[in-house]
Amino acid sequence: MTGNSAVTTWVDECVKLCKPDKVHWCDGSDAERDMLTKMLLDRGEFQRLNEANWPNCYLYRSDPTDVARTEKVTYICSEKESDAGPTNNYLSPAQAQTDILPRYAGAMKGRTMYVIPYVMGPLGSPYSKVGFQLTDSAYVVLNMFIMARVGKRALDQLGSSADFVKGLHSIGELLPETRAICHFPERNEIWSFGSGYGGNALLGKKCHALRIASAQARREGWLAEHMLILGLENPEGKVYYIAAAFPSACGKTNLAMVIPPAALKGWRTWTVGDDIAWMRYGKDGRLYAINPEAGFFGVAPGTSAKTNLNALKTASANSIFTNVGVDENQNVWWEGLGPAPAKLTDWKGNPWTPDSPEKAAHPNSRFTTPASQCPSISPHWEDPEGVPISAILFGGRRASLVPLVVESTSWNNGVLIGASMGSEATAAATDTKAGTIRHDPMAMLPFCGYHMGDYFQHWIDMGKKVANPPKIYGVNWFRQDENGKFLWPGFGDNVRVLQWIIDRVEGKGEPSKPRLEICLANKT
Ligand code: SAT
Ligand code: MN
C-alpha cells in the first residue's frame, strides 16, 4: 500500500468497477515472486523446466487465440480524432467509456487484482517514469517483474507525486471479440482488456514506454523510440553507442547482443537495450539514450548458439518461455535452436515429432529474461543520464531493392529515410499477413501514440535543437538474390557495417575497398 492518495483513489475506483475478491499490492520481493510461481505451478499454468539446464525457468502456454499483438483492436483515444492521425485506430474517450469500460464491470470476480507499481528506466534517473498496472493475471505479474523495476522501489521513486501512468488490465475471458487496448495520451492512461499476450498485456512495454511516452516525449521535447541501444568498442577502447529501429521480429534482440566475428580483432559490443530507447539532448548537445526496460521479451524461433549466443545464455536461468515446445526431459525447443528432439510436446500441448506438419513453437513464441543476466550487458546500461548516441539506424526486412547500408546526407534526409521505411510483416502481430511489405515509418507504425505527421515534424524539430545531431543510416540485412538466398551473411557480420558507420561518424573519408565490395556485391 501507499500513502499517495492519487494512486489509492484510482485503485479504489478500479476495485469498485472490477470487483476482485482480493487486492494484492506487489512489493517486488523474491518471496512474492516465489509465491506467485508456486501458485502457477500448482494450477498447472506453469511447467517447471529442466532444473539442471534451465534453472528457475518456466514454460507457459497461452490461449492459442492470444499469441501476438492485435493491432486492429488497439486504439488511441485522444480528445480530438485528428491527434490520433490516419494510421491509428481511433476511439473518442467518451466512446471508450461507453463501449469498452463496461467490459471491466465485475470482470475480476473470483480473482485477485494485483497492483504492480513499476519504474520504466533506471532507478533514480531523472528520465525514468513511474506507472501502475492493475491486472488479474499472475503470469503478467511475473513477466512485469522481469521487464520492469517493480514494487517498493517504484513507490519510493514516485513519493507523493501524481505524475504516473495508470494501466488497467484484465484478461477478461480472453475472447478475441471483447479484446481492446485503449490509450489516453492526454491523461496518461491505458485500458487493456481480453488479452494476456506480451505487447497487449505487459503495459509498461509498448503501451506505456512507446504509445503514451511518444506523446509525452513530443510535448516535452524528447524521443521515445522502438530502438535497440548498443555500444561498439574499438581496439583502442573507445565505445560508440548506436540506436537502431527495426520492426518487431526483425532482429533487434540479435543486433543488440551481437558478437563480432573473429576477424574483427579487438572489437567488442555492449548491450544497453533491445527494444525501446528514450532519448534526449544532454547539456553538451549530444543525444543521450536510456533503456526504459529491465528485461528482454525476445522471439524464440531462430535464436540459437549461432545466431544469438548471448540471448541463449541470458535466458538460460530465471526466465519464462511462452508458447515454445518442450521435450520429455523438460528442455525447451523451438525451430532454429538446433536438431529437433525425436519427441516433443508442441506449443499447444500436443504430441509432436519432426514429421509433424505444424511448428513445435509458435512463430511468435517468446522468452522473458532479465537484462542483467546478458553476458554483453553494458556497465552503463543503468546510468541515470543514459549513453551518448553517435549514430541512428533505421532498418527493415526487405528481400529486394533496399541496399545494405545508406548514409543520410543530413538530419532531415535521415528522417526521410526513417519515414519511408517499409518492412515485410512478421508473426509479431496477428492481423498483418506475414511476408507482405507494409510501410512502417521508423518501425513506429503500431506504436506511435499520436498523428504520424506530427511525429515526423517532431523528428525534424529535434534536429534543429543542436548543432551536431547524430548521423542517420538506413540498413537492410535481408536482401535476397533471385534464388531467395540472402546476399549478406547477417548476424555477427553486421558488426562490419557498424564498424564502417563508426568510421564515417569519425569523418574517415570514403568507404575502404573491402567494404565498398560489400556494397557492390549487394547491388543487383
Ligand atoms: O509483443 S511485443 O509488442 O511486446 C513484441 C513486439 O511485437 O515487438
Ligand atoms: Mn518491439
Side-chain angles (χ1 to χ4, degrees):
M1 275 289 267
T2 170
N4 185 320
S5 60
V7 176
T8 50
T9 307
W10 167 69
V11 173
D12 286 348
E13 277 168 23
C14 295
V15 168
K16 270 201 198 106
L17 174 66
C18 301
K19 301 195 172 39
D21 283 11
K22 256 175 66 186
V23 179
H24 175 111
W25 285 73
C26 296
D27 61 16
S29 63
D30 290 348
E32 187 174 62
R33 194 180 43 228
D34 293 348
M35 180 274 287
L36 292 170
T37 303
K38 183 172 179 308
M39 190 179 87
L40 288 185
L41 284 167
D42 290 347
R43 283 197 210 152
E45 291 182 40
F46 259 8
Q47 184 174 328
R48 192 186 294 280
L49 293 176
N50 186 300
E51 199 50 39
N53 298 334
W54 306 93
N56 197 29
C57 289
Y58 304 91
L59 169 72
Y60 177 86
R61 292 192 188 103
S62 75
D63 186 288
T65 64
D66 187 32
V67 292
R69 280 183 293 104
T70 42
E71 295 180 5
K72 273 204 184 111
V73 292
T74 300
Y75 302 95
I76 299 300
C77 308
S78 41
E79 288 296 334
K80 287 200 255 150
E81 182 165 5
S82 56
D83 285 339
T87 58
N88 282 310
N89 299 313
Y90 179 71
L91 262 187
S92 71
Q95 210 183 335
Q97 180 97 14
T98 44
D99 293 2
I100 310 293
L101 200 62
R103 297 178 193 179
Y104 289 91
M108 297 190 188
K109 272 189 195 147
R111 301 179 185 172
T112 298
M113 175 192 275
Y114 299 94
V115 182
I116 316 169
Y118 65 84
V119 180
M120 298 311 287
L123 293 177
S125 165
Y127 311 125
S128 294
K129 303 277 182 193
V130 174
F132 286 78
Q133 174 161 2
L134 311 184
T135 180
D136 50 8
S137 162
Y139 162 77
V140 164
V141 176
L142 287 169
N143 276 272
M144 282 293 286
F145 273 31
I146 296 173
M147 296 305 297
R149 294 147 178 103
V150 301
K152 188 173 172 312
R153 303 174 281 178
L155 294 178
D156 291 347
Q157 176 139 340
L158 183 67
S160 57
S161 164
D163 181 13
F164 59 90
V165 170
K166 301 169 179 166
L168 174 58
H169 171 248
S170 170
I171 55 171
E173 301 306 319
L174 286 176
L175 298 174
E177 44 297 3
T178 62
R179 196 165 291 162
I181 301 105
C182 301
H183 305 75
F184 303 84
E186 287 121 345
R187 49 185 225 228
N188 289 347
E189 199 166 334
I190 304 155
W191 299 345
S192 168
F193 193 87
S195 168
Y197 171 76
N200 292 339
L202 311 178
L203 300 189
K205 196 173 180 50
K206 300 299 164 69
C207 301
H208 177 164
L210 284 178
R211 297 196 191 95
I212 295 291
S214 61
Q216 207 169 18
R218 177 179 173 234
R219 295 195 294 268
E220 297 172 3
W222 50 283
L223 293 165
E225 299 299 324
H226 193 202
M227 290 180 176
L228 67 93
I229 311 163
L230 99 156
L232 181 61
E233 182 174 330
N234 69 14
E236 290 76 50
K238 183 162 179 192
V239 183
Y240 298 85
Y241 293 94
I242 292 173
F246 298 83
S248 304
C250 287
K252 278 198 301 301
T253 305
N254 289 348
L255 186 62
M257 46 197 83
V258 67
I259 298 171
L264 293 187
K265 281 208 184 60
W267 289 80
R268 67 165 301 173
T269 46
W270 297 102
T271 307
V272 178
D274 81 326
D275 197 39
I276 300 176
W278 286 356
M279 305 192 286
R280 63 184 79 220
Y281 288 113
K283 288 193 189 76
D284 58 1
R286 300 192 71 187
L287 190 65
Y288 284 80
I290 61 166
N291 168 13
E293 301 191 278
F296 307 130
F297 185 62
V299 180
T303 305
S304 71
K306 212 171 134 237
T307 61
N308 195 343
L309 181 62
N310 282 333
L312 272 192
K313 286 187 175 168
T314 310
S316 64
N318 311 311
S319 301
I320 300 169
F321 292 84
T322 301
N323 294 338
V324 300
V326 65
D327 74 12
E328 291 168 316
N329 299 317
Q330 313 306 321
N331 294 304
V332 283
W333 191 83
W334 50 77
E335 280 70 20
L337 178 63
K343 259 175 40 197
L344 275 180
T345 304
D346 73 8
W347 70 276
K348 291 182 180 161
N350 298 324
W352 184 95
T353 69
D355 298 327
S356 298
E358 309 240 346
K359 294 213 184 303
H362 186 276
N364 194 40
S365 53
R366 299 271 175 165
F367 51 81
T368 317
T369 190
S372 59
Q373 295 182 177
C374 181
S376 58
I377 198 75
S378 163
H380 299 289
W381 84 284
E382 294 190 290
D383 278 8
E385 299 293 329
V387 294
I389 297 297
S390 295
I392 293 174
L393 274 51
F394 291 117
R397 183 185 282 273
R398 294 294 298 269
S400 65
L401 200 68
V402 179
L404 180 65
V405 52
V406 264
E407 183 177 74
S408 62
T409 54
S410 65
W411 176 268
N412 281 357
N413 177 241
V415 173
L416 181 67
I417 290 175
S420 8
M421 261 175 68
S423 192
E424 291 157 26
T426 67
T430 51
D431 24 42
T432 54
K433 200 163 161 277
T436 51
I437 294 173
R438 71 164 179 174
H439 187 202
D440 189 356
M442 279 88 164
M444 281 290 278
L445 184 71
F447 306 119
C448 185
Y450 61 102
H451 194 300
M452 261 292 167
D454 294 333
Y455 172 77
F456 298 147
Q457 184 63 54
H458 180 48
W459 263 87
I460 289 169
D461 293 344
M462 286 296 288
K464 293 183 193 147
K465 283 189 173 211
V466 292
N468 291 308
K471 260 193 178 286
I472 300 179
Y473 294 81
V475 297
N476 175 31
W477 320 135
F478 298 96
R479 193 155 160 186
Q480 298 173 11
D481 66 14
E482 54 286 0
N483 301 315
K485 189 171 167 292
F486 286 109
L487 285 170
W488 178 248
F491 303 106
D493 281 294
N494 293 339
V495 177
R496 295 160 67 198
V497 177
L498 303 185
Q499 190 195 21
W500 177 79
I501 286 171
I502 291 311
D503 275 359
R504 302 291 295 152
V505 165
E506 285 288 10
K508 292 205 187 133
E510 292 304 305
S512 67
K513 197 162 166 281
R515 289 178 205 130
L516 187 61
E517 279 165 9
I518 294 163
C519 299
L520 291 175
N522 200 20
K523 212 167 159 190
T524 49

